[in-house]
Short mmCIF file of all heavy atoms in Angstrom, two decimals:
data_model
loop_
_atom_site.label_atom_id
_atom_site.label_comp_id
_atom_site.label_asym_id
_atom_site.label_seq_id
_atom_site.Cartn_x
_atom_site.Cartn_y
_atom_site.Cartn_z
N LEU A 89 4.59 -1.03 -89.71
CA LEU A 89 5.93 -1.14 -89.24
C LEU A 89 6.90 -1.42 -90.39
O LEU A 89 6.68 -2.34 -91.12
CB LEU A 89 6.13 -2.19 -88.18
CG LEU A 89 7.50 -2.49 -87.62
CD1 LEU A 89 8.10 -1.23 -86.86
CD2 LEU A 89 7.56 -3.69 -86.75
N ILE A 90 7.87 -0.58 -90.56
CA ILE A 90 8.92 -0.80 -91.59
C ILE A 90 10.19 -1.28 -90.88
O ILE A 90 10.63 -0.70 -89.90
CB ILE A 90 9.19 0.56 -92.30
CG1 ILE A 90 7.96 1.17 -92.91
CG2 ILE A 90 10.37 0.35 -93.33
CD1 ILE A 90 7.54 0.47 -94.19
N ILE A 91 10.72 -2.42 -91.40
CA ILE A 91 11.94 -3.00 -90.86
C ILE A 91 12.95 -3.10 -91.95
O ILE A 91 12.65 -3.74 -92.97
CB ILE A 91 11.67 -4.39 -90.20
CG1 ILE A 91 10.48 -4.33 -89.16
CG2 ILE A 91 12.89 -4.90 -89.50
CD1 ILE A 91 10.01 -5.64 -88.64
N ALA A 92 14.13 -2.56 -91.68
CA ALA A 92 15.27 -2.75 -92.71
C ALA A 92 16.22 -3.80 -92.18
O ALA A 92 16.53 -3.81 -91.00
CB ALA A 92 15.90 -1.39 -92.95
N TYR A 93 16.69 -4.59 -93.10
CA TYR A 93 17.62 -5.69 -92.72
C TYR A 93 18.75 -5.64 -93.76
O TYR A 93 18.64 -5.13 -94.86
CB TYR A 93 17.03 -7.09 -92.79
CG TYR A 93 15.63 -7.29 -92.40
CD1 TYR A 93 14.61 -7.04 -93.34
CD2 TYR A 93 15.28 -7.62 -91.16
CE1 TYR A 93 13.25 -7.27 -92.99
CE2 TYR A 93 13.94 -7.86 -90.81
CZ TYR A 93 12.95 -7.58 -91.70
OH TYR A 93 11.67 -7.77 -91.30
N THR A 94 19.85 -6.32 -93.36
CA THR A 94 20.87 -6.73 -94.29
C THR A 94 20.82 -8.22 -94.28
O THR A 94 20.78 -8.89 -93.20
CB THR A 94 22.24 -6.19 -93.87
OG1 THR A 94 22.31 -4.86 -93.89
CG2 THR A 94 23.27 -6.74 -94.87
N VAL A 95 20.78 -8.81 -95.44
CA VAL A 95 20.81 -10.29 -95.59
C VAL A 95 21.83 -10.66 -96.64
O VAL A 95 22.20 -9.81 -97.47
CB VAL A 95 19.39 -10.86 -95.95
CG1 VAL A 95 18.45 -10.70 -94.76
CG2 VAL A 95 18.84 -10.31 -97.28
N ARG A 96 22.24 -11.84 -96.54
CA ARG A 96 23.18 -12.41 -97.59
C ARG A 96 22.58 -13.71 -98.11
O ARG A 96 22.92 -14.80 -97.79
CB ARG A 96 24.50 -12.72 -96.93
CG ARG A 96 25.19 -11.55 -96.34
CD ARG A 96 26.49 -11.83 -95.53
NE ARG A 96 26.95 -10.64 -94.86
CZ ARG A 96 27.86 -9.82 -95.50
NH1 ARG A 96 28.30 -10.10 -96.70
NH2 ARG A 96 28.31 -8.80 -94.83
N PRO A 97 21.54 -13.53 -98.99
CA PRO A 97 20.76 -14.68 -99.48
C PRO A 97 21.62 -15.67 -100.41
O PRO A 97 21.37 -16.86 -100.36
CB PRO A 97 19.62 -14.12 -100.19
CG PRO A 97 20.03 -12.78 -100.56
CD PRO A 97 21.03 -12.32 -99.52
N LEU A 98 22.49 -15.07 -101.18
CA LEU A 98 23.19 -15.90 -102.13
C LEU A 98 24.68 -15.47 -102.16
O LEU A 98 25.03 -14.35 -102.29
CB LEU A 98 22.69 -15.81 -103.53
CG LEU A 98 21.20 -16.35 -103.77
CD1 LEU A 98 20.68 -15.98 -105.13
CD2 LEU A 98 21.15 -17.87 -103.56
N PHE A 99 25.51 -16.52 -102.12
CA PHE A 99 26.99 -16.39 -102.29
C PHE A 99 27.58 -15.39 -101.35
O PHE A 99 28.69 -14.82 -101.54
CB PHE A 99 27.33 -15.94 -103.68
CG PHE A 99 26.63 -16.72 -104.76
CD1 PHE A 99 25.77 -16.16 -105.61
CD2 PHE A 99 26.87 -18.09 -104.84
CE1 PHE A 99 25.07 -16.98 -106.62
CE2 PHE A 99 26.26 -18.92 -105.80
CZ PHE A 99 25.36 -18.21 -106.70
N GLY A 100 26.93 -15.07 -100.18
CA GLY A 100 27.48 -14.20 -99.16
C GLY A 100 27.44 -12.69 -99.52
O GLY A 100 28.07 -11.89 -98.83
N ILE A 101 26.73 -12.41 -100.55
CA ILE A 101 26.64 -11.00 -101.02
C ILE A 101 25.61 -10.25 -100.22
O ILE A 101 24.42 -10.66 -100.22
CB ILE A 101 26.29 -10.91 -102.53
CG1 ILE A 101 27.33 -11.66 -103.33
CG2 ILE A 101 26.13 -9.49 -103.00
CD1 ILE A 101 26.97 -11.91 -104.87
N PRO A 102 26.02 -9.15 -99.53
CA PRO A 102 25.05 -8.44 -98.64
C PRO A 102 24.01 -7.74 -99.56
O PRO A 102 24.29 -7.11 -100.59
CB PRO A 102 25.91 -7.44 -97.91
CG PRO A 102 27.21 -7.35 -98.67
CD PRO A 102 27.39 -8.64 -99.45
N THR A 103 22.78 -7.82 -99.09
CA THR A 103 21.63 -7.14 -99.78
C THR A 103 20.77 -6.47 -98.77
O THR A 103 20.53 -7.02 -97.74
CB THR A 103 20.78 -8.32 -100.48
OG1 THR A 103 21.61 -9.07 -101.39
CG2 THR A 103 19.63 -7.72 -101.22
N GLU A 104 20.36 -5.31 -99.08
CA GLU A 104 19.42 -4.54 -98.28
C GLU A 104 18.00 -5.12 -98.50
O GLU A 104 17.59 -5.38 -99.65
CB GLU A 104 19.47 -3.02 -98.56
CG GLU A 104 20.81 -2.42 -98.27
CD GLU A 104 21.30 -2.66 -96.82
OE1 GLU A 104 20.49 -2.39 -95.88
OE2 GLU A 104 22.47 -3.05 -96.52
N TRP A 105 17.28 -5.28 -97.45
CA TRP A 105 15.86 -5.79 -97.53
C TRP A 105 15.07 -4.89 -96.60
O TRP A 105 15.32 -4.80 -95.41
CB TRP A 105 15.81 -7.24 -97.24
CG TRP A 105 14.54 -7.91 -97.57
CD1 TRP A 105 13.28 -7.32 -97.70
CD2 TRP A 105 14.40 -9.33 -97.80
NE1 TRP A 105 12.41 -8.32 -98.11
CE2 TRP A 105 13.00 -9.52 -98.10
CE3 TRP A 105 15.21 -10.40 -97.73
CZ2 TRP A 105 12.51 -10.78 -98.42
CZ3 TRP A 105 14.69 -11.63 -98.01
CH2 TRP A 105 13.36 -11.84 -98.28
N VAL A 106 13.98 -4.36 -97.13
CA VAL A 106 13.07 -3.52 -96.33
C VAL A 106 11.68 -4.23 -96.45
O VAL A 106 11.23 -4.37 -97.53
CB VAL A 106 13.07 -2.06 -96.79
CG1 VAL A 106 12.02 -1.30 -95.99
CG2 VAL A 106 14.43 -1.47 -96.63
N THR A 107 11.05 -4.47 -95.35
CA THR A 107 9.69 -5.08 -95.29
C THR A 107 8.80 -4.15 -94.55
O THR A 107 9.20 -3.37 -93.68
CB THR A 107 9.69 -6.44 -94.74
OG1 THR A 107 10.12 -6.42 -93.46
CG2 THR A 107 10.46 -7.42 -95.55
N GLU A 108 7.46 -4.29 -94.86
CA GLU A 108 6.43 -3.61 -94.09
C GLU A 108 5.42 -4.53 -93.61
O GLU A 108 5.06 -5.49 -94.40
CB GLU A 108 5.73 -2.55 -94.98
CG GLU A 108 4.62 -1.82 -94.26
CD GLU A 108 3.86 -0.80 -95.19
OE1 GLU A 108 4.19 -0.68 -96.33
OE2 GLU A 108 2.89 -0.26 -94.66
N ILE A 109 5.04 -4.51 -92.33
CA ILE A 109 3.96 -5.29 -91.82
C ILE A 109 2.68 -4.65 -92.27
O ILE A 109 2.39 -3.48 -91.81
CB ILE A 109 3.99 -5.36 -90.28
CG1 ILE A 109 5.39 -5.87 -89.80
CG2 ILE A 109 2.82 -6.20 -89.80
CD1 ILE A 109 5.74 -7.21 -90.27
#
Side-chain angles (χ1 to χ4, degrees):
L89 176 63
I90 302 285
I91 306 172
Y93 323 87
T94 298
V95 293
R96 298 172 186 272
L98 294 172
F99 313 117
I101 300 168
T103 303
E104 296 302 312
W105 193 335
V106 177
T107 60
E108 178 181 0
I109 306 299

